[in-house]
Amino acid sequence: MPNPHPKAPDLTDISVLYVEDDPVSVALVRAAIADRVGALHVAENGRDGLMAFVRFHPDVVVTDVRMPKMDGIAMATAMREMRPDTPIIVTTSLDDPALLRKAIRIGIGSYLLKPIKSHELLDVLGRLADTARHRLELDKQKRLNELLLDSLPNPAMLVDREHGLIQSANGFAHRLGLLPDASMADTPFAQLFSRAVHEARLGDFHSGTHVDFPGIGAYDRLWDVNIDLITDSLVLFFAVDITERHRIKEELQQEKAFIAAILENSHDGIAVVDAKGQVKFVSPGMHRLFGFTLPEMTPLPAWAGTVILDEAERALFLDLWQGTPGGEDDDHIFSILHKTGERRFCRLQTSRMPGGDIVINGQDITGIKLAEERIRHMALHDSLTGLPNRQLLQDRLQTALSSGKRRGTATAVLYIDLDRFKDINDAHGHDAGDEALRHTAGLLSRCLREADTVARMGGDEFVVVLPDLAQRQDAAEVASRILETLSRPLTIDGRSHVLGASIGIALHPQDGIFPDEILRKADRAMYETKKAGGMGFRFFTEKA
């Protein structure tokens, strides 16, 4: 669809969260920006807006002030605590100056009068988008400078030309005592730096010079100092240790021994194979990686048939080995069976040498793969209780609803809020509160079937998903079992406490067909239980 306002700001790379309980205002904003921004998320009250803020990480928040459940100022205050840099725009009719003063106190500087005019909203979003892009570019440049410094294998620094102060330095420079905010005049490179600056040789300064680092005998070396002008006031200063280069030129045998030592001690492996599959060289690292000696690895196709069990992976490996001469190097991860029978993940890269031989570089990344699995687990589970978090709950709930639809069974969602958790937290502190939550997580898990899911939503709220239920009463029985379990005394700091819980139940498909809809209605039912005094459960009804 063509843009009817060619001069309108480009908002396609930002996401917006709009929090408003007035459906007319929501419709107007949707019409104005929905097809212009990268994503538009809408919430009808402050509490839902805060949940959407945590879930979607919007670039900009637009919010009304007066809303049910949680007003816009309370919501914005919580958002400021989580992500202070997120821009927040307040929409107001200027009929409550006290609320506006609160908005100013928490750092909100953007306002729009209601009813919102589309061009004013687009202008404000455009300015915020430009600011965000500039901030992103500055952050990128800063990270790039840091990465460039850290990528250099020798001491490197950005130095203020006029005052000779070190602005930033890489890890190597740190180990030599060349730290940010230090003066070059106080370093062993003082004379070199001063001479380069005063002789105006910046940008073309290279000097092989002997520099002593007092107290650091290992760095009594010959350095090639390089100084390049970055800006009028900033220079890149880096020193390359050329001591070994000069010595190696004179002592070829030591170079060979040095290379051999690297091969011997490297965790990565190297093998050389000819075009017929005969393995000509296997480094110690490659032997450790696979467990096979050179004779055991030749010919290569036969060896691959014993250690790469997956046919597709084996075909890919042999294809890399038989690749067209002069083709691009390739890098792939393979599941390898070590000689001991242990399964390992290896990154293998092939490259062709002049004359036709192929070099295979191997790296054991089993630890990385296992770490990735742990990271995936952490991303989908609550760090305190180990239960599934909101994201994993959504996936499992969607799976349960789809399965129930195919089988013609019901799915129940139980929204659980602990009744007396705040008393424990206030009386005994957060450590006791955390222990109570972990204890509750264990109790809830023991109340459920293997196919059921219990997740922590945050705070003292939990959600249980019960798939494949034959009747409504099944959900009631589980809720009763949970209430009975949580009514048992819990001892903290020598004192007995009873947590208790308020539970709301929503059923699929009769209460809704979408996951968010079911969760919302179970939450409403839970609040009705809480208002009635807690320590009980109730099913969702339209009156709830």
Coordinates of all heavy atoms in Angstrom, one line a residue, residues 351-391:
S351 N 40.0 -26.7 3.9 CA 40.6 -25.7 3.0 C 41.6 -26.5 2.1 O 42.3 -27.4 2.6 CB 41.3 -24.5 3.7 OG 42.3 -25.0 4.6
R352 N 41.8 -26.0 0.9 CA 42.6 -26.7 -0.1 C 44.0 -26.0 -0.2 O 44.1 -24.8 -0.4 CB 41.9 -26.8 -1.5 CG 42.6 -27.7 -2.5 CD 41.7 -27.9 -3.7 NE 40.4 -28.6 -3.3 CZ 40.3 -29.9 -3.3 NH1 41.3 -30.7 -3.6 NH2 39.1 -30.4 -3.0
M353 N 45.0 -26.8 -0.1 CA 46.4 -26.3 -0.2 C 46.8 -26.3 -1.7 O 46.3 -27.1 -2.5 CB 47.3 -27.2 0.6 CG 47.1 -27.2 2.1 SD 48.1 -28.4 2.9 CE 49.7 -27.8 2.5
P354 N 47.8 -25.5 -2.0 CA 48.4 -25.6 -3.4 C 49.0 -27.1 -3.6 O 49.6 -27.6 -2.7 CB 49.6 -24.6 -3.3 CG 49.2 -23.6 -2.3 CD 48.4 -24.4 -1.2
G355 N 48.6 -27.7 -4.7 CA 49.0 -29.0 -4.9 C 47.9 -30.0 -4.7 O 48.0 -31.2 -5.1
G356 N 46.8 -29.6 -4.1 CA 45.6 -30.5 -4.1 C 45.3 -31.1 -2.7 O 44.2 -31.6 -2.5
D357 N 46.2 -31.1 -1.8 CA 45.9 -31.6 -0.4 C 44.9 -30.8 0.3 O 44.8 -29.6 0.0 CB 47.2 -31.7 0.4 CG 48.2 -32.8 -0.1 OD1 47.7 -33.7 -0.8 OD2 49.3 -32.8 0.3
I358 N 44.2 -31.4 1.1 CA 43.1 -30.7 1.9 C 43.5 -30.7 3.4 O 43.9 -31.7 3.9 CB 41.7 -31.4 1.7 CG1 41.3 -31.4 0.3 CG2 40.7 -30.8 2.6 CD1 41.6 -32.6 -0.5
V359 N 43.4 -29.5 4.0 CA 43.6 -29.3 5.4 C 42.3 -29.3 6.1 O 41.3 -28.6 5.7 CB 44.3 -28.0 5.7 CG1 44.5 -27.8 7.2 CG2 45.7 -28.0 5.0
I360 N 42.2 -30.2 7.1 CA 41.0 -30.3 7.9 C 41.3 -29.7 9.3 O 42.2 -30.3 10.0 CB 40.4 -31.7 8.0 CG1 40.1 -32.2 6.6 CG2 39.2 -31.7 8.9 CD1 39.7 -33.7 6.7
N361 N 40.6 -28.6 9.7 CA 40.8 -28.1 11.1 C 39.6 -28.6 11.9 O 38.4 -28.4 11.5 CB 40.8 -26.6 11.0 CG 42.1 -26.0 10.3 OD1 42.1 -26.0 9.1 ND2 43.1 -25.7 11.1
G362 N 39.9 -29.1 13.1 CA 38.8 -29.6 14.0 C 38.8 -28.9 15.3 O 39.9 -28.6 15.9
Q363 N 37.7 -28.6 15.8 CA 37.6 -28.0 17.2 C 36.4 -28.7 17.9 O 35.3 -28.8 17.4 CB 37.2 -26.5 17.0 CG 37.1 -25.7 18.3 CD 36.8 -24.3 18.1 OE1 36.2 -23.9 17.1 NE2 37.1 -23.4 19.1
D364 N 36.8 -29.1 19.2 CA 35.8 -29.7 20.0 C 34.9 -28.6 20.7 O 35.3 -27.8 21.4 CB 36.5 -30.5 21.1 CG 35.5 -31.3 22.0 OD1 34.3 -31.1 21.9 OD2 36.0 -32.2 22.7
I365 N 33.6 -28.6 20.3 CA 32.7 -27.6 20.8 C 31.6 -28.3 21.7 O 30.5 -27.8 21.8 CB 32.0 -26.8 19.7 CG1 31.2 -27.7 18.7 CG2 33.1 -26.0 19.0 CD1 30.4 -26.9 17.8
T366 N 31.9 -29.5 22.2 CA 30.9 -30.2 23.0 C 30.5 -29.4 24.2 O 29.3 -29.3 24.5 CB 31.5 -31.6 23.5 OG1 31.9 -32.3 22.4 CG2 30.4 -32.3 24.2
G367 N 31.5 -28.7 24.8 CA 31.1 -27.9 26.0 C 30.2 -26.7 25.6 O 29.3 -26.3 26.3
I368 N 30.5 -26.1 24.4 CA 29.6 -25.0 23.9 C 28.2 -25.5 23.7 O 27.2 -24.8 24.0 CB 30.2 -24.4 22.6 CG1 31.6 -23.8 22.9 CG2 29.3 -23.4 22.0 CD1 32.3 -23.3 21.7
K369 N 28.1 -26.7 23.0 CA 26.8 -27.2 22.8 C 26.0 -27.4 24.1 O 24.8 -27.1 24.2 CB 26.9 -28.5 22.0 CG 27.1 -28.4 20.5 CD 25.9 -27.8 19.8 CE 26.0 -27.8 18.3 NZ 24.8 -27.3 17.6
L370 N 26.7 -28.0 25.1 CA 26.0 -28.2 26.4 C 25.6 -26.9 27.0 O 24.6 -26.8 27.6 CB 26.9 -29.1 27.3 CG 27.2 -30.5 26.8 CD1 28.2 -31.2 27.7 CD2 25.9 -31.3 26.7
A371 N 26.5 -25.9 26.9 CA 26.3 -24.6 27.4 C 25.0 -24.0 26.8 O 24.2 -23.3 27.4 CB 27.5 -23.7 27.3
E372 N 24.9 -24.2 25.4 CA 23.8 -23.7 24.7 C 22.5 -24.3 25.2 O 21.5 -23.6 25.4 CB 23.9 -23.9 23.2 CG 25.0 -23.1 22.5 CD 25.2 -23.5 21.1 OE1 24.6 -24.5 20.7 OE2 25.9 -22.8 20.4
E373 N 22.5 -25.6 25.5 CA 21.4 -26.2 26.1 C 21.0 -25.6 27.5 O 19.8 -25.4 27.8 CB 21.6 -27.7 26.3 CG 21.7 -28.5 24.9 CD 20.4 -28.4 24.2 OE1 19.3 -28.4 24.8 OE2 20.5 -28.4 22.9
R374 N 22.0 -25.4 28.3 CA 21.8 -24.7 29.6 C 21.2 -23.3 29.4 O 20.3 -22.9 30.2 CB 23.1 -24.7 30.4 CG 23.6 -26.0 30.9 CD 24.6 -25.9 32.0 NE 25.8 -25.3 31.5 CZ 26.8 -25.9 30.9 NH1 26.8 -27.3 30.8 NH2 27.9 -25.3 30.5
I375 N 21.7 -22.6 28.4 CA 21.2 -21.2 28.2 C 19.8 -21.3 27.8 O 18.9 -20.5 28.2 CB 22.1 -20.5 27.2 CG1 23.5 -20.3 27.8 CG2 21.5 -19.2 26.7 CD1 24.5 -19.7 26.8
R376 N 19.5 -22.2 26.8 CA 18.1 -22.4 26.4 C 17.1 -22.7 27.6 O 16.0 -22.2 27.7 CB 18.0 -23.5 25.3 CG 18.3 -23.0 24.0 CD 17.9 -24.0 22.9 NE 18.7 -25.2 23.0 CZ 19.8 -25.4 22.3 NH1 20.2 -24.5 21.5 NH2 20.4 -26.6 22.3
H377 N 17.7 -23.6 28.5 CA 16.9 -23.9 29.7 C 16.6 -22.7 30.5 O 15.5 -22.4 31.0 CB 17.6 -25.0 30.5 CG 16.8 -25.4 31.7 ND1 16.9 -24.8 32.9 CD2 15.9 -26.4 31.9 CE1 16.1 -25.4 33.8 NE2 15.5 -26.4 33.2
M378 N 17.7 -21.9 30.7 CA 17.6 -20.7 31.6 C 16.6 -19.7 30.9 O 15.9 -19.0 31.7 CB 19.0 -20.0 31.7 CG 19.9 -20.9 32.6 SD 21.6 -20.2 32.5 CE 21.4 -18.6 33.2
A379 N 16.6 -19.6 29.6 CA 15.8 -18.6 28.9 C 14.3 -19.0 29.1 O 13.4 -18.1 28.9 CB 16.1 -18.5 27.5
L380 N 14.0 -20.3 29.3 CA 12.6 -20.7 29.4 C 12.2 -21.1 30.8 O 11.0 -21.6 30.9 CB 12.4 -21.9 28.4 CG 12.7 -21.6 26.9 CD1 12.6 -22.9 26.1 CD2 11.7 -20.6 26.4
H381 N 13.0 -20.9 31.8 CA 12.6 -21.3 33.1 C 12.9 -20.2 34.1 O 13.8 -19.4 33.9 CB 13.4 -22.6 33.5 CG 13.0 -23.8 32.8 ND1 13.4 -24.1 31.5 CD2 12.1 -24.8 33.1 CE1 12.8 -25.2 31.1 NE2 12.1 -25.7 32.0
D382 N 12.1 -20.2 35.2 CA 12.3 -19.2 36.2 C 13.6 -19.5 37.0 O 13.8 -20.7 37.5 CB 11.1 -19.2 37.2 CG 11.2 -18.4 38.4 OD1 11.6 -17.2 38.2 OD2 11.0 -18.9 39.5
S383 N 14.4 -18.5 37.2 CA 15.7 -18.8 37.9 C 15.6 -19.2 39.3 O 16.4 -19.9 39.9 CB 16.6 -17.6 37.7 OG 16.0 -16.4 38.3
L384 N 14.5 -18.7 40.0 CA 14.4 -19.0 41.4 C 13.8 -20.4 41.7 O 14.4 -21.1 42.5 CB 13.5 -17.9 42.1 CG 13.1 -18.1 43.6 CD1 14.4 -18.0 44.4 CD2 12.1 -17.1 44.0
T385 N 12.7 -20.7 41.0 CA 12.1 -22.0 41.3 C 12.4 -23.1 40.3 O 12.1 -24.3 40.6 CB 10.5 -21.8 41.2 OG1 10.2 -21.4 39.9 CG2 10.1 -20.7 42.2
G386 N 13.0 -22.8 39.2 CA 13.2 -23.8 38.2 C 12.0 -24.2 37.3 O 12.1 -25.0 36.5
L387 N 10.9 -23.5 37.6 CA 9.7 -23.8 36.9 C 9.7 -23.1 35.5 O 10.4 -22.2 35.3 CB 8.4 -23.3 37.7 CG 8.1 -24.0 39.0 CD1 6.9 -23.3 39.6 CD2 7.9 -25.5 38.8
P388 N 8.9 -23.6 34.5 CA 8.7 -22.9 33.3 C 8.3 -21.5 33.5 O 7.6 -21.2 34.5 CB 7.6 -23.7 32.5 CG 7.8 -25.1 33.1 CD 8.1 -24.9 34.5
N389 N 8.9 -20.5 32.7 CA 8.5 -19.1 32.8 C 7.3 -18.8 31.9 O 6.8 -19.7 31.3 CB 9.7 -18.2 32.6 CG 10.3 -18.4 31.2 OD1 9.6 -19.0 30.3 ND2 11.5 -17.9 30.9
R390 N 7.0 -17.6 31.8 CA 5.8 -17.1 31.0 C 6.0 -17.6 29.5 O 5.0 -18.0 28.9 CB 5.7 -15.6 31.1 CG 4.4 -15.1 30.4 CD 4.5 -13.6 30.4 NE 4.5 -13.1 31.8 CZ 3.5 -12.8 32.6 NH1 2.3 -13.0 32.1 NH2 3.6 -12.4 33.8
Q391 N 7.2 -17.5 28.9 CA 7.3 -17.8 27.5 C 7.1 -19.3 27.3 O 6.4 -19.6 26.4 CB 8.8 -17.4 27.1 CG 9.0 -17.7 25.6 CD 10.4 -17.3 25.2 OE1 11.1 -16.6 25.9 NE2 10.9 -17.8 24.1

